Amino acid sequence: GQQVMQIPQYQHVQEGEDFTTYCNSSTTLSNIQWYKQRPGGHPVFLIQLVKSGEVKKQKRLTFQFGEAKKNSSLHITATQTTDVGTYFCAGPGGGSARQLTFGSGTQLTVLP
Amino acid sequence: DAGVIQSPRHEVTEMGQEVTLRCKPISGHNSLFWYRQTMMRGLELLIYFNNNVPIDDSGMPEDRFSAKMPNASFSTLKIQPSEPRDSAVYFCASSPRVNTEAFFGQGTRLTVV
């Protein structure tokens, strides 16, 4: 079945530094979604990418979808303490069910 | 809209007891998901409903787990009998249709002692 792998598992950065998390799928994805989960909270949808090579920006966050639609990245410029949390990518599962399958997540810590 | 509503928020129970978790999805959403989150295994999909029908329950750990969706506005996840290894945060999520964003509830933190 389809697997979504994410790296790194953990990342500690100094406030103001940049941060990137990578997502790789074993199969081609029709789309990919990104979520953020604050400590003690629930996953919250950030964005969905659909097109090959697509790039989308949300303020300091830049999301990319690979040309082959098998990988994606999230880049945060000049991190702030409010960026703390775990970032998940998610893609539709294999087969006819196409349920949302989440990556393992990258836990970001921002040191003031 | 109040979003996806889960109850209870916290549940502490003794091993062997039955536990029922409840979820009210966002009105009009056709898809409903139950996820379990632990430090060791991350966010795991347990079961997925579409239009109240279970589509994929391959993530349900074992026969002790069961889920129902009697109507479009209510779903339950039952564990009977519960075991300490079932301790986790259980999330319910709904989405308007397949392959669209999922809206998560606040989760139920289950502790089985």
Side-chain angles (χ1 to χ4, degrees), chain A residues 37-42 84-86 108:
Chain A
Q37 184 177 20
R38 294 182 185 274
H42 58 281
V84 165
T86 301
L108 173 65

PDB file of all heavy atoms in Angstrom, chain A residues 37-42 84-86 108:
ATOM      1  N   GLN A  37      -0.006  20.553  13.830  1.00  0.00           N
ATOM      2  CA  GLN A  37      -0.591  20.199  15.120  1.00  0.00           C
ATOM      3  C   GLN A  37       0.222  20.863  16.216  1.00  0.00           C
ATOM      4  O   GLN A  37       1.401  20.537  16.401  1.00  0.00           O
ATOM      5  CB  GLN A  37      -0.616  18.674  15.317  1.00  0.00           C
ATOM      6  CG  GLN A  37      -1.295  18.232  16.593  1.00  0.00           C
ATOM      7  CD  GLN A  37      -1.350  16.706  16.708  1.00  0.00           C
ATOM      8  OE1 GLN A  37      -0.595  15.987  16.068  1.00  0.00           O
ATOM      9  NE2 GLN A  37      -2.253  16.191  17.546  1.00  0.00           N
ATOM     10  N   ARG A  38      -0.395  21.782  16.927  1.00  0.00           N
ATOM     11  CA  ARG A  38       0.276  22.414  18.066  1.00  0.00           C
ATOM     12  C   ARG A  38       0.338  21.418  19.219  1.00  0.00           C
ATOM     13  O   ARG A  38      -0.502  20.507  19.301  1.00  0.00           O
ATOM     14  CB  ARG A  38      -0.477  23.673  18.493  1.00  0.00           C
ATOM     15  CG  ARG A  38      -0.458  24.781  17.459  1.00  0.00           C
ATOM     16  CD  ARG A  38      -1.180  26.006  17.980  1.00  0.00           C
ATOM     17  NE  ARG A  38      -1.287  27.047  16.969  1.00  0.00           N
ATOM     18  CZ  ARG A  38      -0.352  27.954  16.727  1.00  0.00           C
ATOM     19  NH1 ARG A  38       0.765  27.955  17.416  1.00  0.00           N
ATOM     20  NH2 ARG A  38      -0.541  28.861  15.791  1.00  0.00           N
ATOM     21  N   PRO A  39       1.293  21.584  20.131  1.00  0.00           N
ATOM     22  CA  PRO A  39       1.370  20.682  21.290  1.00  0.00           C
ATOM     23  C   PRO A  39       0.056  20.643  22.042  1.00  0.00           C
ATOM     24  O   PRO A  39      -0.502  21.685  22.395  1.00  0.00           O
ATOM     25  CB  PRO A  39       2.494  21.306  22.134  1.00  0.00           C
ATOM     26  CG  PRO A  39       3.348  22.036  21.147  1.00  0.00           C
ATOM     27  CD  PRO A  39       2.403  22.563  20.107  1.00  0.00           C
ATOM     28  N   GLY A  40      -0.467  19.447  22.259  1.00  0.00           N
ATOM     29  CA  GLY A  40      -1.735  19.293  22.958  1.00  0.00           C
ATOM     30  C   GLY A  40      -2.964  19.563  22.117  1.00  0.00           C
ATOM     31  O   GLY A  40      -4.091  19.466  22.624  1.00  0.00           O
ATOM     32  N   GLY A  41      -2.757  19.881  20.855  1.00  0.00           N
ATOM     33  CA  GLY A  41      -3.890  20.224  19.993  1.00  0.00           C
ATOM     34  C   GLY A  41      -4.215  19.144  18.988  1.00  0.00           C
ATOM     35  O   GLY A  41      -3.783  18.001  19.114  1.00  0.00           O
ATOM     36  N   HIS A  42      -4.991  19.534  17.981  1.00  0.00           N
ATOM     37  CA  HIS A  42      -5.385  18.605  16.939  1.00  0.00           C
ATOM     38  C   HIS A  42      -4.832  19.085  15.605  1.00  0.00           C
ATOM     39  O   HIS A  42      -4.524  20.266  15.448  1.00  0.00           O
ATOM     40  CB  HIS A  42      -6.913  18.499  16.869  1.00  0.00           C
ATOM     41  CG  HIS A  42      -7.603  19.800  16.609  1.00  0.00           C
ATOM     42  ND1 HIS A  42      -7.816  20.739  17.592  1.00  0.00           N
ATOM     43  CD2 HIS A  42      -8.115  20.320  15.470  1.00  0.00           C
ATOM     44  CE1 HIS A  42      -8.442  21.776  17.070  1.00  0.00           C
ATOM     45  NE2 HIS A  42      -8.630  21.559  15.789  1.00  0.00           N
ATOM     46  N   VAL A  84       6.029  26.610  16.464  1.00  0.00           N
ATOM     47  CA  VAL A  84       6.235  25.347  17.181  1.00  0.00           C
ATOM     48  C   VAL A  84       5.051  24.404  16.960  1.00  0.00           C
ATOM     49  O   VAL A  84       3.900  24.813  17.000  1.00  0.00           O
ATOM     50  CB  VAL A  84       6.415  25.612  18.693  1.00  0.00           C
ATOM     51  CG1 VAL A  84       6.260  24.346  19.498  1.00  0.00           C
ATOM     52  CG2 VAL A  84       7.757  26.258  18.959  1.00  0.00           C
ATOM     53  N   GLY A  85       5.375  23.129  16.717  1.00  0.00           N
ATOM     54  CA  GLY A  85       4.341  22.131  16.522  1.00  0.00           C
ATOM     55  C   GLY A  85       4.853  21.008  15.659  1.00  0.00           C
ATOM     56  O   GLY A  85       6.040  20.963  15.309  1.00  0.00           O
ATOM     57  N   THR A  86       3.965  20.096  15.320  1.00  0.00           N
ATOM     58  CA  THR A  86       4.315  18.998  14.439  1.00  0.00           C
ATOM     59  C   THR A  86       3.631  19.212  13.091  1.00  0.00           C
ATOM     60  O   THR A  86       2.429  19.476  13.037  1.00  0.00           O
ATOM     61  CB  THR A  86       3.888  17.647  15.039  1.00  0.00           C
ATOM     62  OG1 THR A  86       4.533  17.482  16.305  1.00  0.00           O
ATOM     63  CG2 THR A  86       4.276  16.496  14.127  1.00  0.00           C
ATOM     64  N   LEU A 108       8.720  20.355  15.238  1.00  0.00           N
ATOM     65  CA  LEU A 108       9.569  21.542  15.219  1.00  0.00           C
ATOM     66  C   LEU A 108       9.590  22.229  16.581  1.00  0.00           C
ATOM     67  O   LEU A 108       8.531  22.532  17.138  1.00  0.00           O
ATOM     68  CB  LEU A 108       9.070  22.529  14.155  1.00  0.00           C
ATOM     69  CG  LEU A 108       9.751  23.900  14.128  1.00  0.00           C
ATOM     70  CD1 LEU A 108      11.233  23.760  13.752  1.00  0.00           C
ATOM     71  CD2 LEU A 108       9.052  24.849  13.161  1.00  0.00           C
TER      72      LEU A 108
END
